[in-house]
Amino acid sequence: MKNSQGGADAADRNSNRHPKEEMDRLAGLLRRYQHEYYVLSAPSVSDEEYDRLFERLKYLESEYPEYARPDSPSQRVGSDLMHELPEVEHSIPVLSLDKAYTDEGVLSWMEKTAGAAGEPVTFLAEEKIDGVSIVLYYEDGVLQRAVTRGNGYVGNDVTPNVKTIGAVPLSLHKVSDLTVRGEIYLPKDRFQDINSRMPEPFANPRNLASGTLRRVRSVETARVPLTMFAYEGIFPDQEETHDRVLTRLEELGFRVNPRFRLFRIDPADPSASGSDWEEFKAFLKQENEERDSLTYEIDGLVIKVNELAPRERLGYTSHHPRWAVAYKFESPQGITRVRDIEVQIGRTGRATPVARVEPVSIGGSTITNVTLHNQEYISALELSIGDQVAVSRRGDVIPAVERVIEKDAGSPPVWKMPENCPSCGRKLQQKGAHHFCVNPDCPAIRFGRLRFFAAKGQMDIDNLGPETVNTLFEMGLVEDIADFYRADYSQLLGQEGFGPKKVELIKRGVEKSKQRSFRTVLTALGISDLGENVADLLISGGFSSMEGLLEAADRDDRDALSAIAGIGPKMAEGILSSLRDRRLREQISALAEAGISMSAEEDRRKAAGEASGGEESGQDLPRIFEGQTWCVTGSFESFTPREEAMEEVKKRGGRVVSSVTGKTTHLLAGSGAGSKLEKARSLGVSVVDEAEFLRLLGRGESENKAERQ
Ligand SMILES: [Zn+2]
């Protein structure tokens, strides 16, 4: 029956043959087409034809697995099976290169090298691709192992993933054993698009390529169009020169970057006739100018001794080969060393590794901590403690590790997340890219929740910053969020930094936070997925009270929540299940008892109460003091203690400082103002008295009040 379907096309005609014969023929054809497509960028068949042959080969391999070859072109699509990334030792250490940052630096390296080479040498300059270094081990002409650089001695075996990269030949003709070094990279024009689809975006194409190369399912690697340039080959029959090695790699089917140049330079007399020194300098300049227009990223050039026999004589230092140097385009700014990697447990239990680095100054600020996000991020960087790293400040906010400059050979190739929570000791659990502590009693999680609740953006409790919350937590005065409203703050008296004034201010801050709206309270509970936006959606979607939400949780009424546009079924399920948590329920009741708003209706009642003589909450006040820096001195009739006046400034967007400096814009001077008043006058700071201040607040004269209503 099979044969009766035979049409005019090649695959079916060939189905009369022995399947092995047809599989070999298809493999040969597809190998050629892949080479044309991925290496030469000159396909000779249509995509449809290619797909048809590919599907046919995959079909035959599934029918006759006994004939499937390990170097089959079908390996390119990867597999859905999980594979390990075991650590393997390199047969020859993969050392990093010594670096030079100027023409003169390169010239002095050339001088040293030419002197030690023992014979005349030429220099080959090639582009230093900013990708992921890989070592490919071929045995009997077949790719056996692909290993990341790691610490130079030990790397990770990523063979199934590398097999999905079309530019990497899976088998070679004419050569049996070969070791190839190359740089795997993601073309620049694909980075934005692919990065936008990643759950955790990467800082640059190199990190994305590296992360992709470390997927535990090769099918995920196959989805990203990685490619490779080969730049080093160790043949069993030694070649004489490096440019000859490159040609031979190309002949074997590797992609070789054609943008390299050979220079004949006499370093002792670089400007002698016949010396290419001027051409060499022009080449460095040209590369630096053209780098942005290339389809891949380069961070410099590599200059190598072209002759291989002198290379052997030159040998290696303990860190670098003596026969090559990296010329880097950028000066070494923001370079530091990782002293330690600490794991922080946040309020959701998520474990975030943070690098403690030797203090380094970038753009005027000193960096000592750099977040490393998660294990995947660290693995992509191949980072471990002791490594020298380049640190940047992207968008001038969060410092990030851009790359590892120099591995610490004594450390493991990649830092590993500890098995257990550093706070409570419970085993961490992996969910997606992140690790979590799932112990609800974990001190770090409880502290994180407290800190979150009191912080700006949530209840914004004045005078309850992280350090004060920490003191309260350690003293056992506040153990869960409802305790903020039950604690006896007078017990703080006597602790360092807690005088009667400070304690009074804390009490006031706590009292004031009772005015926060239901929306804010809902957000401050720290339920995952329930941020400000979702709180708004819930309230405007009919869930304007805690009671309503808790009832929906009891009924597990996911449909009611997911009926609201913007809330999906999964989110609905998560929120409702959080709201069924017994502890959270207890905390909610305690908060309600303390007078915290539990509905939009209650918000309105409170607002109405306020309008008839209550204190203003500060949430909707005009920010008339925005950008101003106030100092308050002396005593006042309407503000006792004077901290009350400071509060008024803060509520309207101003900053309050304790002494008058050149940066102070206003001095609020009460009666008995002394030296501060003099200083303010000498510095030309605006001086405001109590009456004027009251006018600014809009409560100076009765007619003003009338106008406002
Ligand atoms: Zn824990």
Side-chain angles (χ1 to χ4, degrees):
M1 287 306 282
K2 228 180 184 180
N3 292 345
S4 67
Q5 301 173 346
D9 60 76
D12 283 347
R13 221 177 25 243
N14 284 319
S15 57
N16 287 324
R17 295 188 187 173
H18 187 279
K20 182 174 186 309
E21 207 178 316
E22 189 193 351
M23 286 162 77
D24 285 348
R25 194 188 64 88
L26 284 170
L29 262 182
L30 287 165
R31 205 171 287 131
R32 200 184 93 207
Y33 295 152
Q34 286 181 347
H35 181 249
E36 287 171 354
Y37 184 85
Y38 293 110
V39 179
L40 307 177
S41 304
S44 68
V45 289
S46 67
D47 289 357
E48 292 73 26
E49 173 68 359
Y50 176 86
D51 290 345
R52 202 178 59 78
L53 297 176
F54 198 93
E55 287 309 314
R56 175 73 185 158
L57 177 62
K58 270 192 358 199
Y59 166 77
L60 288 171
E61 283 180 347
S62 65
E63 288 288 295
Y64 307 100
E66 65 274 29
Y67 301 133
R69 298 167 51 106
D71 62 341
S72 166
S74 67
Q75 302 271 324
R76 300 292 193 209
V77 294
S79 154
D80 230 348
L81 296 174
M82 301 260 280
H83 63 89
E84 301 275 326
L85 307 175
E87 289 181 359
V88 285
E89 214 167 308
H90 288 290
S91 52
I92 302 168
V94 188
L95 299 178
S96 63
L97 298 178
D98 208 355
K99 288 155 198 77
Y101 298 92
T102 58
D103 304 349
E104 294 77 40
V106 176
L107 187 63
S108 87
W109 170 81
M110 284 176 169
E111 199 168 355
K112 204 166 53 185
T113 307
E119 64 177 271
V121 293
T122 51
F123 297 99
L124 186 138
E126 52 193 28
E127 289 175 333
K128 191 169 183 301
I129 309 295
D130 195 9
V132 186
S133 283
I134 194 85
V135 187
L136 308 173
Y137 295 94
Y138 291 86
E139 287 166 26
D140 296 326
V142 176
L143 176 62
Q144 290 296 337
R145 262 182 307 142
V147 184
T148 64
R149 181 177 178 274
N151 64 6
Y153 299 93
V154 177
N156 288 102
D157 187 332
V158 289
T159 313
N161 295 345
V162 167
K163 281 184 173 177
T164 69
I165 300 173
V168 176
L170 302 179
S171 56
L172 310 167
H173 301 290
K174 298 181 275 184
V175 171
S176 56
D177 293 351
L178 175 65
T179 303
V180 172
R181 285 188 59 182
E183 200 77 0
I184 289 173
Y185 69 91
L186 177 68
K188 277 196 289 200
D189 59 344
R190 307 301 304 275
F191 171 65
Q192 291 301 349
D193 174 42
I194 294 167
N195 204 34
S196 65
R197 285 183 264 129
M198 291 283 156
E200 197 87 11
F202 288 91
N204 52 45
R206 173 173 28 75
N207 292 359
L208 174 54
S210 182
T212 305
L213 203 56
R214 294 178 153 276
R215 297 277 166 213
V216 291
R217 290 185 178 84
S218 55
V219 67
E220 293 176 18
T221 310
R223 283 189 204 119
V224 178
L226 298 176
T227 185
M228 185 190 81
F229 276 135
Y231 61 83
E232 207 62 74
I234 300 162
F235 291 89
D237 53 323
Q238 263 256 30
E239 285 294 341
E240 285 185 3
T241 59
H242 183 62
D243 59 331
R244 177 64 205 134
V245 167
L246 294 178
T247 310
R248 205 164 157 194
L249 287 172
E250 202 167 4
E251 286 165 2
L252 285 170
F254 290 93
R255 258 181 101 228
V256 172
N257 185 352
R259 290 172 65 95
F260 65 86
R261 288 255 311 260
L262 205 54
F263 297 92
R264 199 168 298 279
I265 294 165
D266 177 4
D269 186 8
S271 44
S273 75
S275 171
D276 297 333
W277 178 241
E278 289 305 319
E279 287 82 350
F280 177 78
K281 282 199 292 186
F283 183 68
L284 298 192
K285 192 160 166 277
Q286 184 195 339
E287 282 287 337
N288 202 355
E289 283 164 5
E290 290 177 2
R291 59 189 288 213
D292 288 341
S293 60
L294 299 172
T295 57
Y296 43 85
E297 295 207 321
I298 61 174
D299 57 353
L301 298 169
V302 179
I303 298 116
K304 295 171 174 173
V305 170
N306 192 40
E307 292 74 18
L308 301 188
R311 275 196 193 180
E312 269 183 27
R313 272 197 297 281
L314 286 162
Y316 302 83
T317 71
S318 56
H319 296 108
H320 312 296
R322 289 201 179 89
W323 44 264
V325 72
Y327 168 79
K328 307 278 275 184
F329 289 140
E330 281 149 27
S331 59
Q333 266 174 6
I335 290 179
T336 182
R337 192 172 293 278
V338 177
R339 280 179 177 165
D340 196 9
I341 298 178
E342 280 175 21
V343 174
Q344 293 177 350
I345 305 292
R347 67 184 173 89
T348 63
R350 181 161 139 182
T352 305
V354 176
R356 306 277 176 223
V357 300
E358 285 169 9
V360 58
S361 168
I362 304 172
S365 59
T366 301
I367 309 288
T368 51
N369 298 326
V370 186
T371 180
L372 298 169
H373 304 286
N374 55 43
Q375 178 71 60
E376 206 170 283
Y377 189 89
I378 294 176
S379 301
L381 286 164
E382 293 202 65
L383 178 73
S384 59
I385 296 167
D387 292 352
Q388 195 183 43
V389 292
V391 174
S392 71
R393 293 194 80 184
R394 297 224 161 223
D396 288 333
V397 201
I398 308 166
V401 172
E402 285 287 318
R403 80 191 66 203
V404 172
I405 304 277
E406 186 83 66
K407 290 294 294 179
D408 177 21
S411 295
V414 175
W415 177 89
K416 287 260 157 49
M417 183 71 77
E419 297 259 302
N420 300 318
C421 170
S423 176
C424 71
R426 184 78 71 90
K427 205 165 180 340
L428 294 174
Q429 290 186 11
Q430 190 170 0
K431 294 180 200 163
H434 302 288
H435 286 76
F436 290 85
C437 174
V438 294
N439 173 11
D441 289 319
C442 177
I445 297 176
R446 288 166 57 207
F447 174 61
R449 287 172 53 86
L450 292 174
R451 213 169 77 160
F452 177 78
F453 183 84
K456 273 204 170 57
Q458 288 80 43
M459 298 302 274
D460 193 9
I461 307 180
D462 290 346
N463 298 298
L464 272 189
E467 276 170 36
T468 304
V469 173
N470 191 35
T471 306
L472 291 166
F473 184 58
E474 288 195 336
M475 287 177 71
L477 285 175
V478 173
E479 295 191 318
D480 70 50
I481 52 177
D483 288 339
F484 281 123
Y485 301 96
R486 299 188 283 218
D488 176 8
Y489 290 98
S490 60
Q491 290 194 39
L492 276 170
L493 288 168
Q495 294 287 318
E496 207 186 312
F498 292 95
K501 230 179 211 171
K502 169 100 191 206
V503 170
E504 187 52 37
L505 285 173
I506 291 174
K507 284 184 188 168
R508 246 186 248 194
V510 169
E511 202 52 38
K512 210 176 82 186
S513 75
K514 291 183 180 173
Q515 304 301 316
R516 303 284 179 255
S517 66
F518 173 57
R519 168 188 188 261
T520 303
V521 175
L522 205 49
T523 311
L525 294 176
I527 294 170
S528 81
D529 278 341
L530 214 175
E532 283 179 14
N533 293 336
V534 173
D536 284 341
L537 291 175
L538 286 170
I539 292 168
S540 59
F543 290 96
S544 60
S545 73
M546 190 62 83
E547 209 183 342
L549 275 170
L550 295 182
E551 279 171 14
D554 289 337
R555 293 194 309 270
D556 198 14
D557 195 349
R558 299 172 201 182
D559 294 346
L561 260 71
S562 54
I564 302 170
I567 296 182
K570 216 174 161 189
M571 196 189 277
E573 187 187 341
I575 291 171
L576 292 179
S577 101
S578 298
L579 287 171
R580 280 194 296 272
D581 180 76
R582 191 182 47 81
R583 285 168 196 253
L584 185 68
R585 287 281 178 112
E586 285 169 10
Q587 290 168 11
I588 290 172
S589 325
L591 289 172
E593 219 166 283
I596 305 297
S597 177
M598 289 294 160
S599 69
E601 170 59 30
E602 200 175 335
D603 292 349
R604 276 191 289 276
R605 271 206 310 275
K606 281 184 178 170
E610 241 165 51
S612 59
E615 222 183 283
E616 280 166 307
S617 72
Q619 288 198 330
D620 305 314
L621 290 172
R623 299 179 67 79
I624 50 172
F625 300 143
E626 188 93 62
Q628 300 179 358
T629 303
W630 286 69
C631 182
V632 181
T633 189
S635 56
F636 303 89
E637 271 176 29
S638 311
F639 308 100
T640 0
R642 64 167 173 251
E643 275 78 8
E644 283 190 17
M646 297 178 181
E647 281 310 310
E648 298 298 332
V649 173
K650 285 192 213 160
K651 281 197 296 201
R652 290 164 179 80
R655 221 163 77 81
V656 178
V657 292
S658 56
S659 57
V660 176
T661 70
K663 287 179 182 164
T664 312
T665 58
H666 294 75
L667 178 73
L668 175 58
S671 61
S675 61
K676 282 180 183 167
L677 183 58
E678 278 168 41
K679 188 159 185 202
R681 286 194 173 125
S682 74
L683 288 170
V685 173
S686 310
V687 178
V688 176
D689 64 16
E690 187 170 8
E692 193 186 343
F693 186 64
L694 286 167
R695 260 198 310 281
L696 288 170
L697 300 186
R699 43 175 148 129
E701 291 136 13
S702 50
E703 60 261 37
N704 278 357
K705 229 177 186 168
E707 269 170 31
R708 286 180 70 213
Q709 285 162 358

